[in-house]
């Protein structure tokens, strides 16, 4: 009996440790060099992908430019990444989550309505003005919307992970192939409505 209790205590302790280190794993070197890189110089630590923002034409739809581990391999193991969010008038970044990091958003220009929903299903909203910041806690559903009919908005988001991940609520629910009947029952609607939503989310060719 005593040995069983000790085993359960150890298992619970290990579970707590696993939760505590659920973010990026620690590395035991200064930085991680991909296997396909043979020469490390200043270029390895430089990311030029945001250069398209300088003097570029504004987008006509909501757009995200990312500097995560996928785009900038030097971030591997550094527990940091960025995203630049461009919101033309009336555009929205639909409800989504980042399973591996909180998001700290800084509004550089324009106005944004933002919201986050906690695990008790409580919605917290705010209207941000230029210069404001807002934090979206890790794993919680959140969104951003530019209600201004005349002006675009520009925001920069920082993440405490080199690969925060993004799970889009509309896409994750309606595009993976969950049966229409299950979705109709879940949303207390009919199959025709579900099919209409799915058609609206289908990739445009």
């Amino acid at each position: 009996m005593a040995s069983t209790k000790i085993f359960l205590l150890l298992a619970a302790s290990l579970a707590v440790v696993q939760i505590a280190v659920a973010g990026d794993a620690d590395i035991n070197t200064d930085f991680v060099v991909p296997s396909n890189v043979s020469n490390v110089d200043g270029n390895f630590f430089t990311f030029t992908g945001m250069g398209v923002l300088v003097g570029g034409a504004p987008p006509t739809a909501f757009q995200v430019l990312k500097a995560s581990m996928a785009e900038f391999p030097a971030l591997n193991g550094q527990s940091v990444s960025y995203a630049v969010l461009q919101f033309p008038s009336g555009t929205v970044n639909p409800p989504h989550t980042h399973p591996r990091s909180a998001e700290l958003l800084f509004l550089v220009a324009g106005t944004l309505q933002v919201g986050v929903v906690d695990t008790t299903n409580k919605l917290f909203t705010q209207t941000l003005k230029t210069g404001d910041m807002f934090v979206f806690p890790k794993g919680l559903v959140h969104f951003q919307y530019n209600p201004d009919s005349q002006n675009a908005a520009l925001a920069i988001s920082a993440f405490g992970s080199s690969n925060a991940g993004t799970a889009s609520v509309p896409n994750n629910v309606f595009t993976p192939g969950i049966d229409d009947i299950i979705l109709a029952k879940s949303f207390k609607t009919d199959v025709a409505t579900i099919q209409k939503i799915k058609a609206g989310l289908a990739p445009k060719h």
Side-chain angles (χ1 to χ4, degrees):
M1 187 68 173
S3 61
T4 302
K5 288 183 178 178
I6 291 172
F7 174 77
L8 292 173
L9 182 60
L10 286 172
S13 300
L14 287 171
V16 170
V17 170
Q18 288 299 315
I19 291 169
V21 297
D24 289 4
D26 285 335
I27 58 174
N28 56 13
T29 56
D30 294 335
F31 48 88
V32 178
V33 180
S35 58
N36 64 338
V37 174
S38 57
N39 180 38
V40 174
D41 57 17
N43 291 318
F44 177 71
F45 301 98
T46 304
F47 181 68
T48 61
M50 299 298 180
V52 296
L53 294 167
V54 181
T60 57
F62 169 72
Q63 180 173 298
V64 181
L65 294 175
K66 296 180 180 180
S68 68
M69 188 174 72
E71 298 81 18
F72 190 10
L75 295 182
N76 187 6
Q78 303 304 318
S79 298
V80 66
S81 59
Y82 269 122
V84 175
L85 295 81
Q86 295 176 278
F87 296 85
S89 299
T91 57
V92 64
N93 186 5
H96 61 282
T97 68
H98 302 294
R100 293 182 287 277
S101 176
E103 174 182 0
L104 182 60
L105 181 143
F106 172 51
L107 186 57
V108 177
T111 304
L112 280 182
Q113 288 181 3
V114 300
V116 60
V117 181
D118 72 9
T119 54
T120 70
N121 212 33
K122 182 176 180 180
L123 172 64
F124 300 86
T125 61
Q126 185 64 275
T127 298
L128 304 181
K129 297 181 238 178
T130 301
D132 290 344
M133 300 180 82
F134 194 90
V135 64
F136 303 100
K138 179 169 71 173
L140 296 186
V141 172
H142 60 280
F143 62 87
Q144 301 105 19
Y145 168 59
N146 177 10
D148 193 319
S149 61
Q150 302 295 323
N151 301 300
L154 178 70
I156 298 173
S157 286
F159 299 91
S161 168
S162 61
N163 182 20
T166 300
S168 166
V169 174
N171 286 338
N172 281 14
V173 173
F174 292 101
T175 65
I178 299 174
D179 189 273
D180 292 348
I181 294 174
I182 294 172
L183 291 175
K185 288 181 178 293
S186 299
F187 286 92
K188 296 180 172 35
T189 187
D190 53 70
V191 168
T193 300
I194 297 299
Q195 291 175 342
K196 186 174 181 180
I197 294 171
K198 285 186 173 183
L201 291 170
K204 304 293 188 287
H205 298 292

